[in-house]
Amino acid sequence: MPDIEAARGFYGTTLGLDVRDGRESGLLELHVGGGTPIMVYPKPDHVPATYTILNFVVDDIEAAVDELVAAGISMERYPDASQDERGIARDDRGPAIGWFRDPAGNILSVLKTR
């Protein structure tokens, strides 16, 4: 993550997650349940992964995508994915899923399991 303050704003304010300062200076912790936080750390030469790094399971994927878009987040579109007008991919092989990116370009998703 090249800009830790951008990450704090995105994950905390935009996504509404519980974001706390890490135990070491300059680190952030995302508390999403389960007892173990997700650590976010600064990396000036960061290169985004080409795969989804974090999935958020939701009960209502349409509402979740609508909330993301209302918050100014663009849903990713992939030519090989069968996606609806919201950007949600649905098929018989897996969950309904919509992808988006954080400020550092990392791919995140909301998904609804069956």
Side-chain angles (χ1 to χ4, degrees), residues 24-85:
E24 295 182 33
S25 179
L27 302 180
L28 296 179
E29 293 180 351
L30 307 180
H31 292 262
V32 296
T36 303
I38 298 166
M39 185 179 297
V40 178
Y41 56 91
K43 186 170 189 295
D45 59 346
H46 170 74
V47 176
T50 58
Y51 51 84
T52 307
I53 65 160
L54 189 58
N55 297 292
F56 297 98
V57 177
V58 296
D59 292 326
D60 184 339
I61 192 164
E62 290 84 3
V65 167
D66 289 347
E67 289 176 22
L68 290 169
V69 171
I73 295 171
S74 297
M75 302 308 293
E76 292 293 304
R77 304 290 178 151
Y78 296 104
D80 295 337
S82 176
Q83 292 171 275
D84 65 17
E85 66 281 350

